[in-house]
Amino acid sequence: NLGGFDPKKDAVPYADLSEIDRWILNETADLIDVCTRAYEDYEFHRVFQKCNEFCVVQLSALYCDILKDRLYCSGHGSELRRSAQTAQWQVASVLIGVLAPVLVFTSDEAFAYLDSEGLGSVHLSGFPEAAEEWRQPQLAAKWKKLFEVRSEVLMALEDARQVKKAVRSALEAQVVLAVKD
């Protein structure tokens, strides 16, 4: 997803990122906090657990699933694609940095692909720190509700596809939401 992305030339300022890209950076800030505490408490297994959970839930099941159309269909220079790539570059940098103390060589190898500063090693870059602007608890609360609705919609789509045979794929469906207030 980061092919052709140069953070020095292509990065989008935080204020111009799409809302879901700001959401993933908030989640990334939370990951940094949890992992920092785990290292301070010598609970290295918690680092692996939280990073795995983050990759499976926030990244794979939510963020990347939602972004795939934007990344694959938008032009290489489009603002929405660059917004997603900016956030993904930040997330990748954080994951590599957070895992570097326990995945020494693998992190260093991955860092070589993102090393925009010419440091040569993740171990010379310092432990990741979240920019204060990444911390958006109101945004996190809003997206939590949206993901709950999304989950209900996905279940209804799967029912329409498998049980009712009303559609062959979710792309054929039209979703209408009604709220009480």
Side-chain angles (χ1 to χ4, degrees):
N1 291 341
L2 293 174
F5 179 77
D6 178 355
K8 289 182 178 177
K9 293 187 309 191
D10 302 324
V12 174
Y14 180 84
D16 296 335
L17 293 176
S18 73
E19 199 170 279
I20 193 166
D21 297 326
R22 292 193 316 266
W23 169 80
I24 197 63
L25 291 177
N26 177 75
E27 299 297 304
T28 304
D30 291 346
L31 177 71
I32 293 170
D33 295 343
V34 169
C35 290
T36 299
R37 281 192 302 278
Y39 279 123
E40 288 170 351
D41 295 339
Y42 299 98
E43 294 179 334
F44 306 121
H45 67 284
R46 286 201 18 89
V47 175
F48 281 110
Q49 288 173 340
K50 294 314 282 184
C51 287
N52 182 57
E53 178 185 309
F54 178 81
C55 288
V56 171
V57 178
Q58 283 96 334
L59 280 180
S60 182
L62 297 173
Y63 184 69
C64 290
D65 186 48
I66 292 168
L67 255 63
K68 64 184 173 220
D69 291 335
R70 182 186 345 164
L71 286 168
Y72 301 133
C73 298
S74 299
H76 287 285
S78 79
E79 192 72 18
L80 281 174
R81 181 179 171 83
R82 291 297 187 210
S83 176
Q85 288 179 312
T86 299
Q88 288 184 336
W89 189 88
Q90 294 285 1
V91 170
S93 297
V94 166
L95 277 171
I96 291 167
V98 163
L99 290 169
V102 289
L103 284 176
V104 179
F105 298 110
T106 303
S107 296
D108 223 23
E109 186 177 336
F111 180 79
Y113 293 97
L114 300 183
D115 186 7
S116 62
E117 301 298 319
L119 296 174
S121 173
V122 68
H123 306 291
L124 298 174
S125 66
F127 197 78
E129 294 180 16
E132 203 51 46
E133 62 190 359
W134 290 8
R135 299 181 190 282
Q136 301 288 328
Q138 329 81 297
L139 189 64
K142 174 183 176 181
W143 278 88
K144 182 179 182 205
K145 289 179 185 174
L146 288 171
F147 289 135
E148 289 170 0
V149 171
R150 178 181 184 263
S151 179
E152 294 289 324
V153 169
L154 290 176
M155 286 191 304
L157 288 172
E158 190 61 19
D159 182 58
R161 191 178 70 77
Q162 284 198 347
V163 177
K164 298 176 182 165
K165 307 282 187 207
V167 294
R168 285 179 284 170
S169 81
L171 294 175
E172 294 177 355
Q174 180 179 3
V175 176
V176 177
L177 297 176
V179 295
K180 293 179 182 167
D181 58 12

PDB file of all heavy atoms in Angstrom, residues 36-53:
ATOM      1  N   THR A  36       4.294   1.023  25.823  1.00  0.00           N
ATOM      2  CA  THR A  36       5.265   1.702  26.684  1.00  0.00           C
ATOM      3  C   THR A  36       5.129   1.206  28.119  1.00  0.00           C
ATOM      4  O   THR A  36       6.131   0.869  28.770  1.00  0.00           O
ATOM      5  CB  THR A  36       5.074   3.234  26.615  1.00  0.00           C
ATOM      6  OG1 THR A  36       5.280   3.669  25.269  1.00  0.00           O
ATOM      7  CG2 THR A  36       6.054   3.951  27.529  1.00  0.00           C
ATOM      8  N   ARG A  37       3.887   1.151  28.612  1.00  0.00           N
ATOM      9  CA  ARG A  37       3.656   0.651  29.975  1.00  0.00           C
ATOM     10  C   ARG A  37       4.096  -0.818  30.111  1.00  0.00           C
ATOM     11  O   ARG A  37       4.681  -1.218  31.122  1.00  0.00           O
ATOM     12  CB  ARG A  37       2.186   0.800  30.371  1.00  0.00           C
ATOM     13  CG  ARG A  37       1.813   2.213  30.781  1.00  0.00           C
ATOM     14  CD  ARG A  37       0.439   2.304  31.438  1.00  0.00           C
ATOM     15  NE  ARG A  37      -0.644   1.811  30.614  1.00  0.00           N
ATOM     16  CZ  ARG A  37      -1.247   2.514  29.640  1.00  0.00           C
ATOM     17  NH1 ARG A  37      -0.863   3.745  29.389  1.00  0.00           N
ATOM     18  NH2 ARG A  37      -2.223   1.984  28.932  1.00  0.00           N
ATOM     19  N   ALA A  38       3.822  -1.616  29.088  1.00  0.00           N
ATOM     20  CA  ALA A  38       4.199  -3.032  29.137  1.00  0.00           C
ATOM     21  C   ALA A  38       5.722  -3.183  29.216  1.00  0.00           C
ATOM     22  O   ALA A  38       6.227  -4.005  29.997  1.00  0.00           O
ATOM     23  CB  ALA A  38       3.649  -3.771  27.923  1.00  0.00           C
ATOM     24  N   TYR A  39       6.438  -2.408  28.436  1.00  0.00           N
ATOM     25  CA  TYR A  39       7.907  -2.471  28.520  1.00  0.00           C
ATOM     26  C   TYR A  39       8.398  -2.001  29.884  1.00  0.00           C
ATOM     27  O   TYR A  39       9.295  -2.608  30.467  1.00  0.00           O
ATOM     28  CB  TYR A  39       8.555  -1.622  27.422  1.00  0.00           C
ATOM     29  CG  TYR A  39       8.632  -2.300  26.079  1.00  0.00           C
ATOM     30  CD1 TYR A  39       8.067  -1.715  24.954  1.00  0.00           C
ATOM     31  CD2 TYR A  39       9.286  -3.520  25.927  1.00  0.00           C
ATOM     32  CE1 TYR A  39       8.149  -2.333  23.715  1.00  0.00           C
ATOM     33  CE2 TYR A  39       9.365  -4.146  24.696  1.00  0.00           C
ATOM     34  CZ  TYR A  39       8.798  -3.546  23.587  1.00  0.00           C
ATOM     35  OH  TYR A  39       8.880  -4.165  22.366  1.00  0.00           O
ATOM     36  N   GLU A  40       7.822  -0.937  30.405  1.00  0.00           N
ATOM     37  CA  GLU A  40       8.235  -0.426  31.720  1.00  0.00           C
ATOM     38  C   GLU A  40       7.994  -1.456  32.826  1.00  0.00           C
ATOM     39  O   GLU A  40       8.744  -1.520  33.794  1.00  0.00           O
ATOM     40  CB  GLU A  40       7.486   0.869  32.040  1.00  0.00           C
ATOM     41  CG  GLU A  40       7.953   2.044  31.201  1.00  0.00           C
ATOM     42  CD  GLU A  40       7.061   3.276  31.317  1.00  0.00           C
ATOM     43  OE1 GLU A  40       5.962   3.188  31.924  1.00  0.00           O
ATOM     44  OE2 GLU A  40       7.455   4.326  30.776  1.00  0.00           O
ATOM     45  N   ASP A  41       6.956  -2.281  32.649  1.00  0.00           N
ATOM     46  CA  ASP A  41       6.626  -3.313  33.631  1.00  0.00           C
ATOM     47  C   ASP A  41       7.242  -4.674  33.290  1.00  0.00           C
ATOM     48  O   ASP A  41       6.911  -5.686  33.920  1.00  0.00           O
ATOM     49  CB  ASP A  41       5.101  -3.459  33.748  1.00  0.00           C
ATOM     50  CG  ASP A  41       4.442  -2.215  34.300  1.00  0.00           C
ATOM     51  OD1 ASP A  41       5.131  -1.402  34.967  1.00  0.00           O
ATOM     52  OD2 ASP A  41       3.222  -2.028  34.042  1.00  0.00           O
ATOM     53  N   TYR A  42       8.105  -4.708  32.263  1.00  0.00           N
ATOM     54  CA  TYR A  42       8.759  -5.952  31.818  1.00  0.00           C
ATOM     55  C   TYR A  42       7.746  -7.026  31.425  1.00  0.00           C
ATOM     56  O   TYR A  42       7.974  -8.205  31.618  1.00  0.00           O
ATOM     57  CB  TYR A  42       9.724  -6.482  32.896  1.00  0.00           C
ATOM     58  CG  TYR A  42      10.822  -5.494  33.206  1.00  0.00           C
ATOM     59  CD1 TYR A  42      10.729  -4.647  34.310  1.00  0.00           C
ATOM     60  CD2 TYR A  42      11.928  -5.388  32.378  1.00  0.00           C
ATOM     61  CE1 TYR A  42      11.718  -3.717  34.590  1.00  0.00           C
ATOM     62  CE2 TYR A  42      12.929  -4.457  32.642  1.00  0.00           C
ATOM     63  CZ  TYR A  42      12.817  -3.630  33.745  1.00  0.00           C
ATOM     64  OH  TYR A  42      13.795  -2.718  34.005  1.00  0.00           O
ATOM     65  N   GLU A  43       6.625  -6.606  30.875  1.00  0.00           N
ATOM     66  CA  GLU A  43       5.590  -7.534  30.404  1.00  0.00           C
ATOM     67  C   GLU A  43       5.650  -7.604  28.883  1.00  0.00           C
ATOM     68  O   GLU A  43       4.767  -7.130  28.173  1.00  0.00           O
ATOM     69  CB  GLU A  43       4.214  -7.066  30.885  1.00  0.00           C
ATOM     70  CG  GLU A  43       4.050  -7.121  32.385  1.00  0.00           C
ATOM     71  CD  GLU A  43       2.691  -6.621  32.843  1.00  0.00           C
ATOM     72  OE1 GLU A  43       2.055  -5.806  32.135  1.00  0.00           O
ATOM     73  OE2 GLU A  43       2.268  -7.060  33.927  1.00  0.00           O
ATOM     74  N   PHE A  44       6.733  -8.216  28.404  1.00  0.00           N
ATOM     75  CA  PHE A  44       6.987  -8.248  26.965  1.00  0.00           C
ATOM     76  C   PHE A  44       5.902  -8.998  26.197  1.00  0.00           C
ATOM     77  O   PHE A  44       5.605  -8.666  25.056  1.00  0.00           O
ATOM     78  CB  PHE A  44       8.364  -8.847  26.689  1.00  0.00           C
ATOM     79  CG  PHE A  44       9.464  -8.152  27.444  1.00  0.00           C
ATOM     80  CD1 PHE A  44      10.267  -8.838  28.329  1.00  0.00           C
ATOM     81  CD2 PHE A  44       9.671  -6.783  27.284  1.00  0.00           C
ATOM     82  CE1 PHE A  44      11.263  -8.189  29.033  1.00  0.00           C
ATOM     83  CE2 PHE A  44      10.669  -6.127  27.981  1.00  0.00           C
ATOM     84  CZ  PHE A  44      11.472  -6.825  28.863  1.00  0.00           C
ATOM     85  N   HIS A  45       5.301  -9.989  26.828  1.00  0.00           N
ATOM     86  CA  HIS A  45       4.221 -10.730  26.171  1.00  0.00           C
ATOM     87  C   HIS A  45       3.033  -9.820  25.852  1.00  0.00           C
ATOM     88  O   HIS A  45       2.345 -10.011  24.863  1.00  0.00           O
ATOM     89  CB  HIS A  45       3.776 -11.917  27.043  1.00  0.00           C
ATOM     90  CG  HIS A  45       3.118 -11.513  28.320  1.00  0.00           C
ATOM     91  ND1 HIS A  45       3.819 -11.042  29.425  1.00  0.00           N
ATOM     92  CD2 HIS A  45       1.808 -11.479  28.670  1.00  0.00           C
ATOM     93  CE1 HIS A  45       2.966 -10.749  30.379  1.00  0.00           C
ATOM     94  NE2 HIS A  45       1.732 -11.006  29.957  1.00  0.00           N
ATOM     95  N   ARG A  46       2.803  -8.791  26.697  1.00  0.00           N
ATOM     96  CA  ARG A  46       1.694  -7.855  26.440  1.00  0.00           C
ATOM     97  C   ARG A  46       1.954  -7.032  25.181  1.00  0.00           C
ATOM     98  O   ARG A  46       1.022  -6.656  24.485  1.00  0.00           O
ATOM     99  CB  ARG A  46       1.461  -6.942  27.638  1.00  0.00           C
ATOM    100  CG  ARG A  46       0.798  -7.681  28.779  1.00  0.00           C
ATOM    101  CD  ARG A  46       0.083  -6.857  29.816  1.00  0.00           C
ATOM    102  NE  ARG A  46      -0.307  -5.498  29.567  1.00  0.00           N
ATOM    103  CZ  ARG A  46      -1.485  -5.119  29.021  1.00  0.00           C
ATOM    104  NH1 ARG A  46      -2.366  -6.020  28.661  1.00  0.00           N
ATOM    105  NH2 ARG A  46      -1.763  -3.849  28.866  1.00  0.00           N
ATOM    106  N   VAL A  47       3.205  -6.745  24.898  1.00  0.00           N
ATOM    107  CA  VAL A  47       3.539  -6.017  23.666  1.00  0.00           C
ATOM    108  C   VAL A  47       3.083  -6.842  22.466  1.00  0.00           C
ATOM    109  O   VAL A  47       2.407  -6.331  21.571  1.00  0.00           O
ATOM    110  CB  VAL A  47       5.048  -5.704  23.590  1.00  0.00           C
ATOM    111  CG1 VAL A  47       5.394  -5.069  22.247  1.00  0.00           C
ATOM    112  CG2 VAL A  47       5.465  -4.804  24.744  1.00  0.00           C
ATOM    113  N   PHE A  48       3.432  -8.119  22.459  1.00  0.00           N
ATOM    114  CA  PHE A  48       3.017  -8.985  21.358  1.00  0.00           C
ATOM    115  C   PHE A  48       1.495  -9.097  21.286  1.00  0.00           C
ATOM    116  O   PHE A  48       0.904  -9.012  20.206  1.00  0.00           O
ATOM    117  CB  PHE A  48       3.616 -10.396  21.497  1.00  0.00           C
ATOM    118  CG  PHE A  48       5.037 -10.486  21.076  1.00  0.00           C
ATOM    119  CD1 PHE A  48       6.036 -10.675  22.005  1.00  0.00           C
ATOM    120  CD2 PHE A  48       5.390 -10.372  19.739  1.00  0.00           C
ATOM    121  CE1 PHE A  48       7.357 -10.753  21.616  1.00  0.00           C
ATOM    122  CE2 PHE A  48       6.699 -10.444  19.337  1.00  0.00           C
ATOM    123  CZ  PHE A  48       7.698 -10.636  20.278  1.00  0.00           C
ATOM    124  N   GLN A  49       0.853  -9.284  22.436  1.00  0.00           N
ATOM    125  CA  GLN A  49      -0.602  -9.419  22.463  1.00  0.00           C
ATOM    126  C   GLN A  49      -1.283  -8.181  21.903  1.00  0.00           C
ATOM    127  O   GLN A  49      -2.183  -8.273  21.065  1.00  0.00           O
ATOM    128  CB  GLN A  49      -1.102  -9.671  23.888  1.00  0.00           C
ATOM    129  CG  GLN A  49      -0.797 -11.038  24.424  1.00  0.00           C
ATOM    130  CD  GLN A  49      -1.154 -11.169  25.896  1.00  0.00           C
ATOM    131  OE1 GLN A  49      -1.278 -10.173  26.611  1.00  0.00           O
ATOM    132  NE2 GLN A  49      -1.299 -12.401  26.357  1.00  0.00           N
ATOM    133  N   LYS A  50      -0.870  -7.004  22.375  1.00  0.00           N
ATOM    134  CA  LYS A  50      -1.524  -5.764  21.935  1.00  0.00           C
ATOM    135  C   LYS A  50      -1.234  -5.466  20.471  1.00  0.00           C
ATOM    136  O   LYS A  50      -2.121  -5.009  19.742  1.00  0.00           O
ATOM    137  CB  LYS A  50      -1.096  -4.585  22.822  1.00  0.00           C
ATOM    138  CG  LYS A  50      -1.580  -4.692  24.265  1.00  0.00           C
ATOM    139  CD  LYS A  50      -3.031  -5.087  24.411  1.00  0.00           C
ATOM    140  CE  LYS A  50      -3.977  -3.968  24.165  1.00  0.00           C
ATOM    141  NZ  LYS A  50      -5.388  -4.318  24.391  1.00  0.00           N
ATOM    142  N   CYS A  51      -0.010  -5.716  20.031  1.00  0.00           N
ATOM    143  CA  CYS A  51       0.312  -5.477  18.616  1.00  0.00           C
ATOM    144  C   CYS A  51      -0.458  -6.441  17.723  1.00  0.00           C
ATOM    145  O   CYS A  51      -0.980  -6.036  16.672  1.00  0.00           O
ATOM    146  CB  CYS A  51       1.817  -5.600  18.373  1.00  0.00           C
ATOM    147  SG  CYS A  51       2.760  -4.196  19.028  1.00  0.00           S
ATOM    148  N   ASN A  52      -0.563  -7.694  18.143  1.00  0.00           N
ATOM    149  CA  ASN A  52      -1.328  -8.670  17.368  1.00  0.00           C
ATOM    150  C   ASN A  52      -2.801  -8.268  17.318  1.00  0.00           C
ATOM    151  O   ASN A  52      -3.417  -8.270  16.245  1.00  0.00           O
ATOM    152  CB  ASN A  52      -1.174 -10.064  17.963  1.00  0.00           C
ATOM    153  CG  ASN A  52      -1.902 -11.109  17.153  1.00  0.00           C
ATOM    154  OD1 ASN A  52      -1.660 -11.272  15.965  1.00  0.00           O
ATOM    155  ND2 ASN A  52      -2.817 -11.802  17.797  1.00  0.00           N
ATOM    156  N   GLU A  53      -3.361  -7.918  18.455  1.00  0.00           N
ATOM    157  CA  GLU A  53      -4.763  -7.487  18.520  1.00  0.00           C
ATOM    158  C   GLU A  53      -4.991  -6.256  17.636  1.00  0.00           C
ATOM    159  O   GLU A  53      -5.964  -6.180  16.890  1.00  0.00           O
ATOM    160  CB  GLU A  53      -5.147  -7.175  19.962  1.00  0.00           C
ATOM    161  CG  GLU A  53      -6.554  -6.684  20.148  1.00  0.00           C
ATOM    162  CD  GLU A  53      -6.808  -6.277  21.596  1.00  0.00           C
ATOM    163  OE1 GLU A  53      -6.509  -7.072  22.498  1.00  0.00           O
ATOM    164  OE2 GLU A  53      -7.306  -5.155  21.799  1.00  0.00           O
TER     165      GLU A  53
END
